[in-house]
Amino acid sequence: MKNERVQRRKAPISLISLGLIAVSLIIMLILCLVPGAAKNSKNPVLVIIGVESNNLPSLALKNTLHAAGFEYEVQDYGHDLPNYGNIVVVGVGEQALSVVNEYKDNENVSGFILICPTLNEEYMTGLTSGNPSCDIAIFAGRDNSKTPAEMGDARLIYERLSGDDTIFGIPIQRGGLFASKVYVDNGQNRMLSLSAFPVRDPAKLFFSPLFQNELAGYLSVTYIDEATRETSFGRINSWFVLSWISIALGVISLLLFLSNLGLSATGNDVKKAPISKWVFGLIGGISIALALIIVASSFLDMLESSILMILALIPELFMLCLFIINFSWITTKDGKFVPKKAGMIQAVFLAVIIGLFVMYTLSLTTDLRVHKITDPGISSGLLTLLLIFDVVLSTGLIYASRKSSTAGQGAKNCFGNRLIIGLMFIPCAAALIFGMFPLNSHIFYSGLAGLCATGIPYLAVMPLVKHTDRSLIPGVLHGIIYVLVLAAVL
């Protein structure tokens, strides 16, 4: 009777959590579809130069620009601009100023936007408050300098292009709590916006809802005649608010649903299989060696360019080593573990929910296209091979841990012992920390990408490991999510 009362109390909570999960997934699906609305071939085009496509939040940026009546394209420095429509050129980073002289005579160019530009006298040649006559806006990070000697490059460039004095000039406060300081010249065709926050990586400014909102506001005022529609700030703000609410709601409702599920004896074994010294030395040694390679990469340009790929593939290297170490546990017939048939539907259902949630979250916050490998056939083939490889490795390791628990020897490898997964994080954490101190943004974000490639698939499958007794289903989920993360970071 007591068990029946407990089950009755759990039932409403389970139904409520399932309803919240469904609401969260529906909202996320709608948010993935909304950015495509208002696409128009007559829209003026924002040509973004100096940033890779996978470093842009494609859905968020598309939604913001469509709400302002704009499209966007991404290209590299030195390439020819599209020869159609009205174009606003956006230069990003150190060479941002170069786009003004390069494209100022292009009849299709209506204006320029420079994001965190570096002052270069070669690029400044011939540029004045009247040349070019089109609009130029500069966006940069926080700069509260009180003297010209302390001023950042963005302020110096603005003063040279406008003739204004930003030391004694009075800026406009744009925004609420985190207001930007905005300077506009008397001719109304030069603008400087200084964020309330320091900007370390100009490309990552696009991920800020504050920046996207301010960018849309600037475009709506400056290019009101070129845009095909009035800017809808309600659409922009509601998209960001709903996206984060839906993600938070999904996490909370999923945790609530899991709290009402029983634990698997083989997935929640408190006893841990002892780690032999040579296994600990092998995994730890690889981690330390990779950490040293990351440090050395900051001094070798050739190695630095490949550090992202190395860190993204690190989980497969570690799991391959563990798979070989646990091969006898995986293949031997002794202590064979047979899962219960009754838990099949629950495992599939849970895997589908988690898989959809992760896919929608990555879609809303990143760009799910591989840009590091330009050939789509090669990138698709590589992701397919990695999917199969990861499914085999993760399924085998989960199965080995379950068999070890069944045999009474305790959970083992990365899916049963947190110490092993902790060792797998060392190279990525080293890149994150090392990239932070010398301000090497490439190594920092490569480390962050590595942490995501290692951590997100692991966190996604652990509910299935702990609450079900299946091995193949969480293994397939791990492979799918790993490939999705690769698509997001590469």
Side-chain angles (χ1 to χ4, degrees):
M1 292 294 293
K2 183 178 179 180
N3 289 337
E4 291 180 2
R5 287 196 298 270
V6 171
Q7 291 297 325
R8 283 198 296 269
R9 285 198 297 268
K10 285 186 175 183
I13 297 177
S14 297
L15 292 174
I16 291 171
S17 59
L18 284 175
L20 293 176
I21 290 171
V23 170
S24 172
L25 292 177
I26 291 172
I27 293 174
M28 295 173 84
L29 174 61
I30 293 172
L31 291 173
C32 288
L33 299 175
V34 163
K39 182 176 181 179
N40 191 332
S41 59
K42 296 181 180 180
N43 284 346
V45 180
L46 220 66
V47 177
I48 304 173
I49 304 174
V51 58
E52 296 181 358
S53 296
N54 64 325
N55 286 334
L56 294 174
S58 57
L59 282 180
L61 186 59
K62 184 185 296 183
N63 179 71
T64 296
L65 294 179
H66 279 175
F70 274 75
E71 304 292 334
Y72 85 91
E73 293 183 10
V74 179
Q75 69 177 46
D76 296 326
Y77 284 106
H79 287 201
D80 293 332
L81 295 177
N83 56 358
Y84 55 84
N86 294 313
I87 296 172
V88 178
V89 180
V90 181
V92 182
E94 294 181 1
Q95 300 181 59
L97 187 58
S98 66
V99 301
V100 181
N101 261 324
E102 186 171 357
Y103 302 118
K104 66 180 181 179
D105 297 323
N106 190 311
E107 59 182 9
N108 292 324
V109 174
S110 301
F112 298 92
I113 296 175
L114 311 179
I115 299 178
C116 299
T118 298
L119 179 60
N120 186 311
E121 292 298 335
E122 180 183 352
Y123 300 151
M124 283 296 302
T125 303
L127 301 183
T128 64
S129 59
N131 182 33
S133 59
C134 58
D135 295 277
I136 300 178
I138 302 173
F139 292 88
R142 184 173 60 204
D143 186 349
N144 296 323
S145 305
K146 301 300 182 181
T147 64
E150 299 173 347
M151 284 197 306
D153 286 4
R155 285 180 68 177
L156 292 172
I157 292 171
Y158 170 75
E159 290 193 352
R160 296 272 294 271
L161 289 175
S162 66
D164 283 1
D165 188 335
T166 59
I167 297 293
F168 298 101
I170 300 176
I172 303 168
Q173 297 287 332
R174 190 187 188 283
L177 182 61
F178 305 108
S180 300
K181 292 182 179 180
V182 179
Y183 297 87
V184 181
D185 73 334
N186 293 330
Q188 302 290 306
N189 66 343
R190 302 288 189 263
M191 189 204 79
L192 170 66
S193 175
L194 300 174
S195 173
F197 304 97
V199 177
R200 179 179 176 183
D201 186 346
K204 297 303 180 281
L205 199 59
F206 286 96
F207 286 85
S208 167
L210 295 175
F211 170 75
Q212 288 199 27
N213 196 293
E214 188 174 357
L215 176 63
Y218 170 76
L219 294 174
S220 67
V221 172
T222 308
Y223 303 102
I224 189 171
D225 294 330
E226 289 85 352
T228 58
R229 58 174 295 165
E230 292 184 6
T231 300
S232 173
F233 290 100
R235 169 178 169 175
I236 297 171
N237 295 330
S238 61
W239 193 92
F240 282 110
V241 171
L242 287 174
S243 63
W244 290 110
I245 287 177
S246 63
I247 292 172
L249 179 63
V251 172
I252 293 171
S253 55
L254 185 58
L255 292 176
L256 185 63
F257 179 74
L258 292 174
S259 68
N260 288 278
L261 296 181
L263 293 171
S264 167
T266 59
N268 198 49
D269 191 353
V270 294
K271 181 181 179 181
K272 305 302 177 186
I275 305 173
S276 60
K277 292 182 179 179
W278 75 271
V279 173
F280 187 83
L282 175 64
I283 302 301
I286 293 174
S287 295
I288 294 172
L290 288 171
L292 293 175
I293 290 174
I294 291 164
V295 174
S297 70
S298 62
F299 305 101
L300 300 173
D301 293 337
M302 182 182 298
L303 191 59
E304 184 177 358
S305 62
S306 59
I307 197 69
L308 173 61
M309 186 68 74
I310 293 173
L311 290 174
L313 296 177
I314 272 181
E316 301 307 291
L317 173 62
F318 281 117
M319 290 205 303
L320 177 61
C321 293
L322 292 171
F323 187 87
I324 295 172
I325 293 169
N326 290 270
F327 189 72
S328 59
W329 273 104
I330 298 170
T331 57
T332 183
K333 294 183 179 180
D334 298 334
K336 184 178 180 181
F337 172 74
V338 180
K340 300 176 182 178
K341 293 182 178 179
M344 179 74 171
I345 296 177
Q346 177 179 289
V348 172
F349 177 71
L350 194 57
V352 170
I353 288 177
I354 295 174
L356 287 174
F357 177 76
V358 174
M359 182 183 70
Y360 286 147
T361 301
L362 291 174
S363 297
L364 293 174
T365 55
T366 65
D367 183 271
L368 288 180
R369 289 177 296 175
V370 177
H371 298 277
K372 293 294 182 183
I373 303 173
T374 55
D375 190 309
I378 295 177
S379 63
S380 299
L382 177 62
L383 291 181
T384 302
L385 288 175
L386 287 173
L387 172 63
I388 297 172
F389 190 63
D390 188 276
V391 169
V392 171
L393 295 181
S394 54
T395 300
L397 291 175
I398 294 170
Y399 182 63
S401 182
R402 293 195 191 281
K403 286 183 67 177
S404 179
S405 293
T406 303
Q409 298 189 24
K412 61 192 312 179
N413 68 61
C414 58
F415 292 103
N417 195 320
R418 294 178 182 175
L419 179 59
I420 295 295
I421 191 69
L423 292 175
M424 293 170 62
F425 279 114
I426 289 177
C428 306
L432 201 69
I433 296 171
F434 184 76
M436 187 182 302
F437 287 109
L439 299 179
N440 189 323
S441 61
H442 177 71
I443 292 181
F444 175 83
Y445 287 113
S446 295
L448 185 61
L451 287 176
C452 292
T454 304
I456 292 178
Y458 172 79
L459 292 174
V461 302
M462 286 311 294
L464 277 88
V465 174
K466 289 183 174 294
H467 294 281
T468 74
D469 55 3
R470 298 284 161 173
S471 300
L472 177 59
I473 295 172
V476 173
L477 179 64
H478 189 281
I480 292 173
I481 293 179
Y482 175 67
V483 167
L484 287 173
V485 174
L486 283 186
V489 302
L490 293 181

